[in-house]
């Protein structure tokens, strides 16, 4: 067992849980920073949990005391009445500052493909702002840029399968020829853990081995789970409105305008070698019986 201490944000959530598990498997000592201290700890005594304490910088710094590597997955998917991008930016800045004061040697940070400070989309623009802040912090960094993460607890791929099971047709925005490159969450976690063992500054496009057009992705999933549906091409505004209606019934924000427009602008595609090995198509085949059997709610997770 290594005596080095590694901290993961959100180890009770999706990607953070996989990163923590990979680190434990490598013999690392792991703690987590979380807003969900009331959740059951899937790691028991192996991972001690501390509150984020974004509003108490000295407490946040104290929690990171002795930490060698920080793995940051903290973010929000959309603006909501109880959380939003502007708060997430300030909280992330506070996290990086606390890490610096605590003497953290390296930060492995989760970003997004194609971030840009000039992006018209707040999600991608704010991700770029955070990357810049980390780069200028002086702390050794690895910035990982996934397009879409998939896994048993994932939201996007599951809810596509759910919609295919639930409705007699599937609406796509425009022609559906824009591309995306999903990466398996455990492959992503392994990449993060590997980068935690290095020291050079790096930015990695964390994409999977398969590239799909959106239309192809829906066709593949539908075929594998036995729910192929005819497509209806709709304008983005209509697709967003339809997602709002579904969201009312499932008590969630199903899609955002930034997600739709970013997807259609090919921002979830990069010309780069794959960082993961697991094929989405093979994973869907292995999980065809359960994929999409229920809706995965972002808001329900946050409330829990």
């Amino acid at each position: 067992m290594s005596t080095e201490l590694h901290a993961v944000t959100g180890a009770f959530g999706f990607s953070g849980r996989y990163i923590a598990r990979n680190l434990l498997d490598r013999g690392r000592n792991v703690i987590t920073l979380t807003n969900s201290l009331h959740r059951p700890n899937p790691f028991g005594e192996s991972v001690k949990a501390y509150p984020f304490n974004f509003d108490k910088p000295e407490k946040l710094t104290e929690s990171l005391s002795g930490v060698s590597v920080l793995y940051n997955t903290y973010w929000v998917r959309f603006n909501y009445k109880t959380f939003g991008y502007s708060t997430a930016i300030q909280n992330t800045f506070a996290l990086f500052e606390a890490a610096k004061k605590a003497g953290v040697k390296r930060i492995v940070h989760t970003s997004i493909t194609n971030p840009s400070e000039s992006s018209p989309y707040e999600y991608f623009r704010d991700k770029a702002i955070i990357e810049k802040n980390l780069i200028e912090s002086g702390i050794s960094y690895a910035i990982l840029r996934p397009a879409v993460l998939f896994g048993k607890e994932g939201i996007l791929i599951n809810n596509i399968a759910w919609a295919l099971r639930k409705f007699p047709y599937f609406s796509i925005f425009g022609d559906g020829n824009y591309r995306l490159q999903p990466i398996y969450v455990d492959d992503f976690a392994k990449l993060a853990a590997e980068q935690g063992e290095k020291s050079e500054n790096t930015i990695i496009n964390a994409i999977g081995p398969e590239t799909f057009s959106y239309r192809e992705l829906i066709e593949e999933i539908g075929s594998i789970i036995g729910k192929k549906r005819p497509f209806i091409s709709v304008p983005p505004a209509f697709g967003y409105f339809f997602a709002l209606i579904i969201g009312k019934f499932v008590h969630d924000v199903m899609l955002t305008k930034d997600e739709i427009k970013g997807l259609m602008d090919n921002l979830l595609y990069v010309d780069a070698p794959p960082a993961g090995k697991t094929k989405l198509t093979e994973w869907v085949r292995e999980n065809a019986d359960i994929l999409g059997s229920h809706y995965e709610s972002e808001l329900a997770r946050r409330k829990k």
Side-chain angles (χ1 to χ4, degrees):
M1 176 68 75
S2 169
T3 57
E4 263 193 356
L5 187 60
H6 291 229
V8 180
T9 64
F12 301 162
F14 181 35
S15 59
R17 180 179 302 207
Y18 280 82
I19 293 172
R21 173 53 60 195
N22 268 270
L23 292 170
L24 290 172
D25 289 345
R26 291 168 184 261
R28 300 299 191 185
N29 293 312
V30 181
I31 65 169
T32 186
L33 301 178
T34 178
N35 279 326
S36 305
L37 290 173
H38 56 284
R39 282 191 190 181
N41 187 333
F43 304 104
E45 298 297 319
S46 298
V47 177
K48 188 174 181 180
Y50 296 88
F52 271 120
N53 280 321
F54 290 127
D55 57 340
K56 299 175 182 176
E58 69 287 349
K59 290 287 187 182
L60 182 54
T61 301
E62 183 180 331
S63 298
L64 292 170
S65 177
V67 169
S68 178
V69 184
L70 169 65
Y71 303 81
N72 180 42
T73 68
Y74 171 77
W75 191 237
V76 297
R77 226 187 87 205
F78 45 76
N79 289 315
Y80 194 63
K81 56 187 176 182
T82 54
F83 55 83
Y85 294 135
S86 60
T87 301
I89 287 178
Q90 295 307 313
N91 287 346
T92 306
F93 286 179
L95 178 65
F96 292 165
E97 180 64 22
K100 187 172 184 176
K101 289 181 178 178
V104 172
K105 298 175 183 176
R106 185 165 175 82
I107 295 178
V108 180
H109 172 67
T110 302
S111 187
I112 189 70
T113 48
N114 296 301
S116 171
E117 289 186 77
S118 61
S119 175
Y121 312 126
E122 192 173 4
Y123 189 102
F124 292 86
R125 184 171 65 248
D126 289 352
K127 282 286 192 178
I129 291 170
I130 288 174
E131 284 191 12
K132 181 180 179 182
N133 181 266
L134 174 56
I135 291 169
E136 293 178 348
S137 71
I139 304 173
S140 168
Y141 64 83
I143 295 171
L144 309 183
R145 293 175 172 175
V148 174
L149 294 173
F150 68 89
K152 288 183 179 179
E153 304 88 347
I155 288 180
L156 177 63
I157 302 300
N158 179 83
N159 288 349
I160 287 174
W162 175 82
L164 286 165
R165 293 183 187 277
K166 198 78 173 175
F167 302 103
Y169 60 87
F170 197 96
S171 298
I172 59 172
F173 318 113
D175 60 16
N177 289 329
Y178 32 87
R179 295 167 289 180
L180 64 166
Q181 299 158 304
I183 184 171
Y184 182 42
V185 64
D186 196 46
D187 288 350
F188 178 78
K190 288 175 182 176
L191 176 64
E194 289 168 0
Q195 286 302 314
E197 297 175 351
K198 300 180 180 181
S199 59
E200 64 270 19
N201 295 333
T202 187
I203 298 176
I204 300 172
N205 286 304
I207 58 174
E210 293 178 306
T211 297
F212 305 90
S213 71
Y214 188 63
R215 178 186 288 270
E216 289 169 343
L217 177 68
I218 308 306
E219 287 175 340
E220 287 282 0
I221 295 173
S223 177
I224 293 171
I225 68 173
K227 295 293 181 181
K228 288 196 74 170
R229 301 298 189 193
F231 289 124
I232 297 179
S233 180
V234 299
F238 182 85
Y240 175 66
F241 178 71
F242 187 57
L244 281 178
I245 295 174
I246 297 175
K248 293 292 184 182
F249 283 98
V250 296
H251 307 291
D252 191 28
V253 176
M254 190 176 190
L255 282 172
T256 70
K257 290 180 180 179
D258 276 14
E259 287 172 336
I260 294 171
K261 292 177 180 178
L263 175 63
M264 294 184 72
D265 278 355
N266 271 311
L267 295 183
L268 298 182
Y269 168 81
V270 290
D271 184 10
K277 296 180 179 179
T278 305
K279 293 183 177 180
L280 172 66
T281 48
E282 293 177 356
W283 181 85
V284 172
R285 289 188 187 96
E286 292 172 0
N287 296 275
D289 291 342
I290 60 171
L291 188 64
S293 58
H294 65 278
Y295 181 85
E296 287 285 352
S297 170
E298 177 83 21
L299 289 180
R301 289 186 183 185
R302 289 192 168 273
K303 289 175 182 177
K304 289 178 183 178

